Amino acid sequence: METTDHTGPPLTGGERETLRAFLDFHRATLAMKCDGLSDEDLRRRSMPPSTLTLLGLVRHMAEVERTWFRRVINAEDVPLVWSDEGDYQAAYDATAATRSEAFTAWQTEVEHARRIELAAESLDVTGHQPRWNADVSLRLVMLHLIHEYARHNGHADLLREGIDGVVGA
């Protein structure tokens, strides 16, 4: 059984350190919600008629990390992981997915994101978000990712409880 380090963010600290710690906390929360489950459990839809699964959430967050850090902030010309057509919904389909495939992709994107954030001169560094046709700061990206993880970790709470009754963060 896996054990995810789930250390809470610091109660004091600078803006960047605090944003980084909250983002890492939420990343660890998603991983923790998947700890100890089989591939079958991770693909299980526990809230019909929704097709949402824990593995689908991990895959989706890999796309989110990739898009905001690599494509937007770092201006890398890379496609999405699971869709050449730019369809973010494709990541949710975990029908044939495995823990190994999803977590390898997600952890790879998290590593890229951390590298990009650490290399940035400040939170005021900007990138272009074509879907919004606007420039955005690294600060906004980090806050957006924290929001995105927090929202989806709420989904993960319900999914995990439906699978085996485990609750809490």
Side-chain angles (χ1 to χ4, degrees):
M1 177 185 240
E2 308 85 24
T3 350
T4 300
D5 177 20
H6 197 245
T7 305
L11 301 178
T12 61
E15 178 184 20
R16 193 164 182 174
E17 174 190 9
T18 301
L19 290 174
R20 186 182 299 135
F22 266 92
L23 185 50
D24 281 340
F25 175 80
H26 283 293
R27 288 168 172 153
T29 299
L30 180 58
M32 183 191 75
K33 288 297 172 181
C34 298
D35 281 352
L37 296 176
S38 67
D39 284 8
E40 182 180 333
D41 288 336
L42 291 169
R43 287 189 298 265
R44 185 170 160 196
R45 297 188 247 166
S46 61
M47 301 289 294
S50 173
T51 59
L52 196 60
T53 66
L54 286 168
L55 215 47
L57 285 174
V58 171
R59 288 164 48 106
H60 172 70
M61 291 312 299
E63 298 288 35
V64 170
E65 296 266 5
R66 183 180 187 91
T67 295
W68 284 97
F69 285 98
R70 292 179 69 187
R71 295 173 71 170
V72 172
I73 293 297
N74 224 34
E76 293 179 35
D77 184 18
V78 293
L80 296 179
V81 178
W82 288 282
S83 172
D84 293 332
E85 294 79 40
D87 178 6
Y88 288 84
Q89 299 305 307
Y92 283 121
D93 182 6
T95 309
T98 65
R99 169 192 295 277
S100 175
E101 168 255 353
F103 273 86
T104 297
W106 178 63
Q107 289 163 345
T108 297
E109 295 308 325
V110 167
E111 288 169 19
H112 281 295
R114 286 183 176 134
R115 177 185 48 78
I116 291 164
E117 184 269 319
L118 287 169
E121 184 178 309
S122 76
L123 292 172
D124 294 323
V125 164
T126 61
H128 187 74
Q129 172 46 284
R131 293 182 90 182
W132 297 356
N133 192 28
D135 289 341
V136 296
S137 69
L138 177 59
R139 178 182 293 102
L140 178 130
V141 168
M142 292 182 77
L143 285 166
H144 181 76
L145 268 280
I146 290 166
H147 163 81
E148 183 95 1
Y149 271 104
R151 187 164 49 94
H152 288 312
N153 283 338
H155 300 136
D157 285 339
L158 293 171
L159 288 162
R160 180 64 190 250
E161 184 177 5
I163 291 167
D164 63 3
V166 170
V167 297

